[in-house]
């Protein structure tokens, strides 16, 4: 075998780069403004575009556009990003409205009164969608997303608790809030940022990987400002039992006199449960008196591009007055309760467009289609014998555990989501126990990596603390998951699994060595490293501490 020397690619490129520049310097202008095509400028092959300092001279617009476009081609394809709940498709007319209004600022209420009227209409429409009661004056606002909305809802609960305690002459130094370990990180952020003890309760298979009602009973007390209840876990899509928790808090108040409110984090479920035939199984919205506020993400199943969320209180009395700012700005006066000031208004217009254009029937058709496709994917995966679904929206109402390989993959013609367990159109799945016994050396994470080579983005990650020994693959079935794409996805998952079975262990080991070595990554967040030990994959905190960061 011939000898070979190690090659340092950085040194090689640097030497070639220097030689290339010195030879070509007499042919190129320093400003790079004379060119025939974008690729004939100095940026195409003679010099890198500036990355970390602003360049002294500019560059032609078409050249910069082409360079950035080419670099962005390395991103994943949004429609194949099956990890995300955030929508990647809007109709042409909606996109046109957004582009026509992209420069409008939500903070300039007096300058854009028509846009603000649409904002008010959206609040009213969503409040009615969530069962606001007659005689109540619902109040709410658009936000940049559910994270901001959750912070606003939590802060309102904290201030109401403080005001009541101070009026009674009681201590206000130890507020706490209840949430499950399956909570999205925004809920824990609220607790940390606003100095509230986060009582993060373990989830289990027995509780369907969601907030355990028995643990709620054990952890509430006079210092509990509220309970965060999630309508649609980002892990498995399960709805938490809002009505059951409400009943527990009713009984607690009857026994102790302590009134503990509920905030429903319906980031995804807020635009799913109202429209599907399955609803949420039981009551979850303002039809329950204990539910004081609800948030959702318009940019998830509200079908708007990223950048809009909503927070609604069932009545203005539940939003403490001193949290509301009266703003005198640019000749107008408005009331504001947000964590941001300037923010885009185009998404609000797009949300109103969707609500009016689709109507209830249109949203229902889309959500039922999503649920149907999610059921088909779930049943197909279990039919292979290789996979078991942790999510259960494909199982008959009341059945939550795997009962064996699905005998019927395709649905009956007249069935709806009401024939199955309620939940989000999410498919969370893992290797079946039989598969793991037969192929113990195969890693589930490899499926995620091999599918990435086919451009699908399907994450593989652990369940919440207490169940984190189990890893799941997860697919979010959005509006843009057509039947044809679903058919191809099922075929590719099956083919990829078969390839994994047939290949030698050593051939697949290279997949675990991949790592982003770019300078940008080195100097930004630490991110996750597949070669790191532990379930967190490179995280600085163990899974047992706080809320595991989920893909959302």
């Amino acid at each position: 075998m011939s000898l070979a020397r190690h090659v340092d690619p950085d040194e090689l490129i640097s030497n070639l780069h220097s030689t290339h520049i010195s030879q070509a310097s007499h042919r190129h202008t320093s400003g790079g403004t004379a060119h025939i095509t974008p690729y004939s400028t100095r940026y195409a092959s003679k010099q890198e575009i500036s990355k970390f300092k602003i360049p002294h001279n500019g560059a032609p617009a078409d050249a910069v556009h082409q360079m950035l476009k080419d670099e962005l081609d390395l991103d994943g394809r949004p429609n194949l990003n099956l990890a995300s709940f955030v929508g990647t498709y809007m109709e042409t007319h909606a996109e046109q409205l957004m582009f026509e209004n992209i420069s409008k600022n939500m903070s300039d209420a007096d300058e854009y009164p028509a846009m603000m009227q649409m904002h008010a209409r959206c609040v009213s429409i969503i409040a009615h969608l969530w069962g606001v009661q007659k005689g109540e004056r619902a109040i709410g606002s658009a936000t940049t997303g559910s994270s901001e909305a959750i912070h606003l809802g939590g802060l309102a609960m904290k201030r109401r608790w403080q005001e009541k305690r101070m009026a009674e002459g009681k201590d206000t130094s130890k507020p706490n809030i209840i949430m499950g370990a399956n909570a999205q990180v925004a809920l824990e952020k609220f607790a940390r940022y606003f100095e509230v003890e986060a009582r993060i309760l373990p989830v289990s298979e027995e509780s369907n990987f969601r907030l355990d009602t028995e643990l709620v009973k054990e952890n509430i007390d006079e210092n509990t400002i509220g309970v965060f209840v999630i309508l649609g876990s980002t892990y498995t899509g399960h709805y938490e039992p809002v009505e059951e928790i409400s009943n527990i808090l009713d009984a607690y108040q009857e026994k102790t006199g302590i009134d503990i409110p509920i905030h429903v984090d319906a980031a995804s479920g807020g635009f799913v449960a109202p429209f599907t035939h399955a609803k949420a199984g039981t009551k979850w919205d303002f039809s329950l008196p204990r539910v004081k506020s609800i948030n959702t993400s318009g940019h998830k199943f509200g079908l708007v591009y990223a950048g809009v969320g909503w927070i609604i209180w069932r009545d203005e009395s539940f939003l403490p007055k001193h949290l509301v700012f009266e703003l005198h700005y640019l000749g107008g006066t408005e009331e504001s309760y947000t964590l941001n000031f300037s923010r885009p208004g185009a998404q609000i217009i797009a949300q109103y467009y969707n609500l009016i254009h689709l109507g209830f029937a249109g949203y229902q058709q889309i959500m039922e289609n999503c649920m149907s496709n999610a059921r088909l994917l779930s049943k197909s995966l279990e039919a292979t014998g290789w996979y078991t679904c942790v999510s259960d929206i494909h199982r008959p109402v009341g059945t939550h555990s795997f009962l064996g390989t699905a005998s019927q993959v395709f649905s009956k013609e007249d069935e709806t989501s009401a024939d199955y367990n309620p939940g989000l159109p999410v498919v969370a799945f893992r290797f079946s126990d039989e598969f793991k016994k037969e192929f113990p050396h195969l890693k589930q994470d490899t499926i995620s990596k091999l599918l990435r080579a086919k451009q699908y983005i399907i994450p593989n990650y652990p369940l919440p603390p207490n169940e984190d020994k189990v890893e799941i693959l997860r697919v979010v079935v959005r509006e843009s998951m057509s039947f044809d794409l679903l058919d191809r996805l099922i075929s590719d998952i099956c083919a990829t699994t078969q390839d994994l079975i047939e290949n030698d262990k050593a051939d697949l080991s290279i997949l675990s060595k991949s790592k982003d070595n770019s300078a940008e990554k080195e100097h930004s967040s630490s991110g996750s490293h597949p070669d790191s030990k532990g379930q967190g994959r490179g995280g600085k905190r163990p899974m047992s501490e706080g809320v595991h960061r989920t893909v959302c």
Side-chain angles (χ1 to χ4, degrees):
M1 184 176 290
S2 60
L3 294 173
R5 290 185 174 85
H6 168 67
V7 175
D8 185 335
D10 292 334
E11 182 180 351
L12 179 65
I13 292 173
S14 177
N15 291 337
L16 290 173
H17 181 270
S18 300
T19 303
H20 203 30
I21 288 295
S22 62
Q23 291 176 348
S25 60
H26 66 281
R27 297 198 305 267
H28 287 263
T29 64
S30 60
T33 54
H35 67 286
I36 300 172
T37 75
Y39 291 114
S40 67
T41 68
R42 74 177 193 275
Y43 283 118
S45 61
K46 312 302 181 187
Q47 185 175 334
E48 288 185 321
I49 61 172
S50 185
K51 294 180 178 177
F52 306 110
K53 290 184 179 180
I54 188 171
H56 179 72
N57 294 314
D62 61 341
V64 174
H65 172 266
Q66 191 65 53
M67 296 302 106
L68 300 188
K69 181 179 181 297
D70 290 347
E71 184 173 357
L72 290 169
D73 283 342
L74 298 173
D75 278 343
R77 300 180 66 178
N79 196 42
L80 296 181
N81 178 8
L82 306 182
S84 179
F85 286 88
V86 178
T88 58
Y89 166 80
M90 288 192 73
E91 294 181 63
T92 303
H93 290 98
E95 290 182 327
Q96 185 177 348
L97 272 172
M98 289 188 70
F99 183 76
E100 291 167 353
N101 293 277
I102 199 167
S103 62
K104 290 186 178 178
N105 187 347
M106 276 291 291
S107 66
D108 296 344
D110 201 52
E111 283 67 34
Y112 306 119
M115 179 179 66
M116 297 310 297
Q117 287 175 5
M118 292 182 186
H119 170 268
R121 294 171 199 166
C122 286
V123 169
S124 180
I125 290 170
I126 296 170
H128 283 290
L129 197 62
W130 292 343
V132 67
Q133 300 298 291
K134 193 169 184 177
E136 293 182 324
R137 296 174 59 86
I139 189 170
S141 175
T143 61
T144 53
S146 277
S147 292
E148 181 188 4
I150 287 164
H151 288 204
L152 296 175
L155 183 56
M157 288 195 296
K158 180 183 178 182
R159 289 300 169 87
R160 289 200 309 272
W161 174 83
Q162 287 175 324
E163 289 173 356
K164 185 177 180 181
R165 298 278 291 182
M166 286 188 289
E168 297 171 348
K170 296 180 179 178
D171 178 54
T172 62
S173 64
K174 298 178 180 178
N176 69 72
I177 193 160
I178 306 293
M179 68 186 82
N182 60 314
Q184 207 267 349
V185 68
L187 281 70
E188 187 190 9
K189 278 185 176 180
F190 158 75
R192 188 181 301 181
Y193 292 170
F194 292 99
E195 299 180 319
V196 177
E197 176 196 351
R199 294 188 175 177
I200 302 172
L201 310 183
V203 301
S204 64
E205 186 173 0
E206 291 71 30
S207 70
N208 289 326
F209 309 103
R210 58 185 188 174
L211 186 59
D212 191 321
T213 54
E214 290 301 314
L215 293 179
V216 171
K217 295 177 185 178
E218 298 171 10
N219 284 275
I220 52 177
D221 58 34
E222 64 177 354
N223 291 315
T224 302
I225 67 170
V227 180
F228 280 141
V229 188
I230 303 167
L231 197 73
S233 169
T234 56
Y235 284 90
T236 61
H238 286 101
Y239 291 154
E240 293 189 333
V242 185
E243 186 172 17
E244 185 179 350
I245 293 170
S246 177
N247 292 337
I248 290 171
L249 298 179
D250 286 345
Y252 184 76
Q253 182 177 4
E254 187 175 342
K255 179 181 177 181
T256 65
I258 298 171
D259 184 5
I260 300 175
I262 289 174
H263 173 87
V264 177
D265 172 20
S268 294
F271 272 106
V272 176
F275 298 111
T276 56
H277 292 291
K279 303 300 181 184
T282 56
K283 294 180 181 178
W284 68 274
D285 56 14
F286 293 134
S287 59
L288 294 170
R290 196 161 293 277
V291 174
K292 309 303 184 188
S293 52
I294 304 173
N295 71 271
T296 195
S297 294
H299 57 228
K300 292 179 181 174
F301 290 100
L303 310 180
V304 180
Y305 287 142
V308 61
W310 300 94
I311 172 78
I312 310 286
W313 287 267
R314 65 180 306 133
D315 189 84
E316 58 188 4
S317 62
F318 295 107
L319 178 56
K321 293 294 183 185
H322 71 279
L323 288 178
V324 179
F325 284 83
E326 188 176 271
L327 303 177
H328 304 279
Y329 183 64
L330 299 180
T333 301
E334 64 168 317
E335 290 185 331
S336 173
Y337 177 44
T338 64
L339 298 180
N340 296 289
F341 191 61
S342 292
R343 61 187 191 275
Q347 281 86 347
I348 281 78
I349 296 169
Q351 183 74 83
Y352 186 57
Y353 168 88
N354 278 346
L355 291 169
I356 300 305
H357 165 58
L358 294 173
F360 188 93
Y363 266 102
Q364 184 174 69
Q365 183 178 359
I366 290 170
M367 298 310 153
E368 282 291 325
N369 285 344
C370 290
M371 299 301 295
S372 178
N373 284 342
R375 291 195 299 270
L376 178 57
L377 175 57
S378 301
K379 292 178 179 180
S380 299
L381 290 169
E382 290 191 337
T384 66
W386 296 332
Y387 294 101
T388 298
C389 289
V390 179
S391 52
D392 60 17
I393 46 102
H394 63 297
R395 298 187 180 114
V397 176
T399 302
H400 298 287
S401 57
F402 179 55
L403 300 177
T405 302
S407 59
Q408 183 178 359
V409 174
F410 287 95
S411 304
K412 298 176 183 177
E413 190 171 335
D414 60 344
E415 73 178 17
T416 70
S417 61
D419 297 307
Y420 298 89
N421 292 315
L424 299 178
V426 166
V427 181
F429 58 105
R430 62 173 179 83
F431 281 156
S432 66
D433 293 338
E434 293 76 14
F435 185 93
K436 288 188 285 189
K437 287 178 183 177
E438 188 173 356
F439 307 104
H441 63 287
L442 298 181
K443 294 183 178 181
Q444 188 172 286
D445 185 58
T446 307
I447 295 292
S448 177
K449 292 186 172 72
L450 290 173
L451 288 171
R452 185 63 186 261
K454 295 177 181 287
Q455 300 190 67
Y456 300 107
I457 302 175
I458 298 177
N460 180 83
Y461 60 96
L463 285 171
N466 203 46
E467 292 288 342
D468 55 346
K469 291 181 180 179
V470 177
E471 292 190 353
I472 57 171
L473 294 151
R474 192 197 69 189
V475 170
V476 180
V477 179
R478 301 190 302 271
E479 176 191 15
S480 54
M481 173 71 79
S482 67
F483 192 85
D484 289 337
L485 177 57
L486 180 63
D487 179 62
R488 183 60 185 266
L489 173 64
I490 293 170
S491 299
D492 284 340
I493 291 176
C494 291
T496 298
T497 308
Q498 188 66 48
D499 288 343
L500 184 62
I501 292 170
E502 294 174 355
N503 279 277
D504 185 78
K505 177 181 177 181
D507 294 336
L508 298 167
S509 62
I510 193 170
L511 290 172
S512 64
K513 305 297 182 182
S514 60
K515 183 178 178 181
D516 186 348
N517 293 308
S518 66
E520 290 89 341
K521 188 66 176 177
E522 182 181 348
H523 294 285
S524 58
S525 65
S526 59
S528 62
H529 303 291
D531 53 347
S532 297
K533 295 180 180 179
Q535 295 287 352
R537 294 210 193 114
K540 296 178 181 178
R541 300 169 63 198
M543 285 285 294
S544 57
E545 292 185 17
V547 178
H548 175 54
R549 276 74 178 150
T550 63
V551 181
C552 62

